[in-house]
Amino acid sequence: MNHNYFDNAASTPVDPRVLKEMLPFLAEACGNAHSIHSCGMRARAAVENARDRVAEFLGADDAEEVVFTSGATESNVWVLNSFERLAIGPFEHPSVAQTGGCRGAEVLANDCQTVRPPTKPCDLLSLMWVNNETGIVLDVEGAAEWAPKLHTDLTQAAGKVPFSLAKVNYASISAHKLYGPKGTGALYAKGGCDLEALITGGGQEEGKRSGTLNVPGIVGLGAAAAIARDEQAHDFERATELRAIVLEEIASVSDVRVNACEGNSPFILNVCFLGLVGESLVVELDSRGFAISAASACKASSHGTSGVLKALGVPEEWARGAVRISFGRHNTRESARALGFALRRCVSDLREMATH
Ligand code: PMP
């Protein structure tokens, strides 16, 4: 396990316990989950067990409320494209922001993590639970009355921070953000999926999403969800401790700005270093054996800096020097301290180089 990997918001390593459950379905348990022989029935039973586990993890009333997809992007786009008049949050992932943007969605105004209601009538509001660049937690439940249907992108919250889908109609998750495999996810749909079929064909997933089921991936998501349900509180405590260690290590650095709001997710630390470029820090830290990311990695505004930081009112000259450190189960106190130390050194080396 690479203890120096601190880009868990981009993707987590597969937990060895998850891998163990997946392996048979990548090898001898090769059946198609819709075949009627015993090999097929074994695969089908594993898929339905995974559906039960994901439903329980999400607090769903019924396993039928869970549809397996290829991940949160697919789930997000499916929901957004199913409604006419859209409103979306100010910090959404590109899968929501771009899909909504193309379809004339109203982008809600904000003051830090406080989001203001839509000004126009809408059929669906999509508001993420936790922002992927900064770890800002949004009050999704508080927005439930603003639209007839509420969708939340739960990708960075699932397995990390407490959440409830009591007031939510649709939610999206990706397995690889909670120690499962890439390319598998789910859509939660309260009361069962009432959306039009996303993919027509063989009629899998109650006719809503055709195509042979990704049995190993789904088994992995189910295993990851079951572990997350049991270990979420513990993981939260550990992330809180590791984030504090890194912050302590960089406390003496000048011209640093932490981009966070009240009740921030402890799994993400977004910091700006004035006068530097985030990508240079990422490359420099990589050469010293640490993986982090530039906050602007997947959501760049026209200026090349993060649209999320812009929405938070972070000035351009600061936003350029933003990096995102994201914590996971395999990180240790020692690795967090070593990262903080290396970051401090990199900042000072790069600043020194800039003045020569
Ligand atoms: N939403 C959020 C908040 C994310 O962080 C991500 C992953 N970067 C996604 C959606 C998309 O997930 P995937 O790439 O697995 O579809």
Side-chain angles (χ1 to χ4, degrees):
M1 202 55 86
N2 178 2
H3 299 304
N4 293 342
Y5 177 82
F6 287 92
D7 198 12
N8 294 279
S11 199
T12 49
V14 173
D15 188 295
R17 293 166 291 180
V18 170
L19 183 62
K20 193 170 171 220
E21 289 202 40
M22 289 174 66
L23 279 176
F25 296 96
L26 286 160
E28 78 277 4
C30 62
N32 183 316
H34 286 81
S35 295
I36 59 168
H37 46 63
S38 38
C39 198
M41 286 192 293
R42 179 176 172 197
R44 184 60 184 260
V47 165
E48 295 316 320
N49 180 41
R51 201 184 307 277
D52 288 343
R53 288 166 129 185
V54 173
E56 196 179 339
F57 166 63
L58 293 176
D61 290 332
D62 197 297
E64 281 181 13
E65 295 179 320
V66 175
V67 182
F68 292 116
T69 64
S70 67
T73 297
E74 180 183 319
S75 303
N76 287 344
V77 174
W78 188 6
V79 176
L80 264 84
N81 280 340
S82 301
F83 291 86
E84 285 295 323
R85 296 173 305 172
L86 305 169
I88 61 173
F91 314 122
E92 298 300 313
H93 183 264
S95 53
V96 170
Q98 284 190 21
T99 308
C102 292
R103 307 204 31 247
E106 176 178 0
V107 180
L108 302 187
N110 71 290
D111 178 12
C112 202
Q113 83 263 56
T114 306
V115 173
R116 283 195 272 286
T119 57
K120 294 184 286 193
C122 62
D123 304 313
L124 177 88
L125 167 62
S126 180
L127 188 60
M128 67 196 332
W129 203 284
V130 172
N131 172 253
N132 47 305
E133 283 186 42
T134 57
I136 288 176
V137 179
L138 293 126
D139 181 12
V140 175
E141 289 194 293
E145 285 170 7
W146 298 347
K149 296 278 185 180
L150 178 62
H151 165 253
T152 188
D153 179 350
L154 209 58
T155 311
Q156 298 288 349
K160 298 193 166 81
V161 306
F163 64 86
S164 160
L165 298 183
K167 296 182 179 171
V168 169
N169 300 95
Y170 307 99
S172 310
I173 59 169
S174 265
H176 71 106
K177 309 282 187 184
L178 63 148
Y179 311 97
K182 293 169 182 65
T184 307
L187 171 68
Y188 161 84
K190 196 185 282 318
C193 186
D194 58 347
L195 306 180
E196 276 211 16
L198 178 69
I199 306 173
T200 49
Q204 289 88 348
E205 295 298 86
E206 304 294 321
K208 298 292 181 180
R209 186 188 185 272
S210 287
T212 300
L213 293 178
N214 169 8
V215 181
I218 290 169
V219 167
L221 172 57
I227 295 169
R229 200 201 56 173
D230 293 344
E231 300 187 2
Q232 184 166 313
H234 179 257
D235 286 351
F236 184 95
E237 264 177 47
R238 193 216 311 259
T240 305
E241 190 185 352
L242 299 182
R243 191 175 187 274
I245 290 173
V246 175
L247 277 172
E248 193 186 302
E249 284 293 322
I250 60 170
S252 60
V253 178
S254 62
D255 291 329
V256 180
R257 174 186 178 128
V258 177
N259 302 305
C261 294
E262 208 187 313
N264 219 80
S265 164
F267 290 86
I268 296 180
L269 173 59
N270 184 305
V271 264
C272 296
F273 297 94
L274 192 62
L276 296 184
V277 175
E279 282 81 358
S280 308
L281 267 172
V282 172
V283 171
E284 192 58 33
L285 273 168
D286 186 40
S287 73
R288 300 178 195 210
F290 295 91
I292 64 164
S293 78
S296 56
C298 69
K299 193 176 180 187
S301 72
S302 52
H303 305 296
T305 51
S306 162
V308 174
L309 296 185
K310 200 171 173 210
L312 279 171
V314 177
E316 173 83 17
E317 68 268 27
W318 279 93
R320 265 197 296 273
V323 292
R324 178 186 70 179
I325 297 161
S326 46
F327 303 95
R329 228 174 245 164
H330 52 279
N331 296 131
T332 61
R333 289 189 195 100
E334 293 69 35
S335 62
R337 208 162 281 293
L339 168 70
F341 179 79
L343 186 55
R344 206 166 66 216
R345 292 296 298 270
C346 286
V347 170
S348 118
D349 289 355
L350 288 171
R351 279 185 176 158
E352 202 173 319
M353 274 164 63
T355 57
H356 284 97

